[in-house]
Amino acid sequence: MQSQGAREYGVLKRGVIASGVALMLALTSCASPKTPARQADPIDQITLKRRACYGTCPVYEVSVASDGSMRFVGHKYVQLHGVAHATIVPEHWQRLLAAVDDADFASLQRRYAPHYGCVEGMTDQPWFRISISRAGKVKLVEVYEGCQSTPALEAASRLGRVIDAELDTARWIGVGCEVGSPEAWCY
């Protein structure tokens, strides 16, 4: 039979061990993980495609890769019909990435059109589509510009305007074209 002192020692020993384990668990839960959290794949390419309206809205597609290489394809109501190539400097690419983050692009839905997340405010307006490619996976957001404004729609529209500005699409679209607004007419 165990003596009273031996029993108390065993209880004390178990309590110390349990406290040590609890302390160790508490400390390791605050420590940084051995493997860092997986970062989202970097963006490989950003593409903006503007489609027709009932009128003379510019119709074109412009894309830029992470290395700064750009491709513009003019279709209708633009100064340059056909393909043009250019390069942007890294600062423009960084501003595009910041604009994608500001728009919270990953949270935007696939389509903003009548019956798809918007109430039609005007008819015969242009469409645009933004696509972002990451490690071969593409996310598309398509917007009908006749939708009544919502925060998500504003974010997508603002991103489209930033893409146009940072890639200087005005040099190929021409004078008198107001892209990215309901008044997108070429004179």
Side-chain angles (χ1 to χ4, degrees), residues 84-152:
H85 296 275
T87 305
I88 62 168
V89 295
E91 292 80 24
H92 290 273
W93 178 253
Q94 292 305 315
R95 286 195 291 259
L96 286 171
L97 295 179
V100 169
D101 286 342
D102 288 346
D104 196 11
F105 190 79
S107 72
L108 296 177
Q109 63 189 47
R110 167 83 169 77
R111 179 176 253 189
Y112 294 93
H115 311 294
Y116 293 95
C118 84
V119 175
E120 190 171 4
M122 295 179 276
T123 60
D124 303 325
Q125 296 301 304
W127 288 76
F128 69 89
R129 181 181 74 194
I130 298 172
S131 60
I132 306 280
S133 173
R134 294 177 187 264
K137 295 180 181 170
V138 178
K139 172 168 173 123
L140 298 168
V141 173
E142 209 170 21
V143 176
Y144 174 64
E145 292 189 78
C147 294
Q148 290 182 359
S149 184
T150 66

Side-chain angles (χ1 to χ4, degrees), residues 26-37:
L27 290 175
T28 58
S29 69
C30 294
S32 62
K34 290 181 183 179
T35 55

Side-chain angles (χ1 to χ4, degrees), residues 63-74:
S63 60
V64 62
S66 59
D67 66 0
S69 59
M70 248 177 75
R71 182 174 187 259
F72 175 89
V73 182

Side-chain angles (χ1 to χ4, degrees), residues 12 20 32 48 55 58 81 132 142 149 157 168 179:
L12 180 63
S32 62
L48 170 66
H81 292 86
I132 306 280
E142 209 170 21
S149 184
S157 295
D168 190 21
V179 176

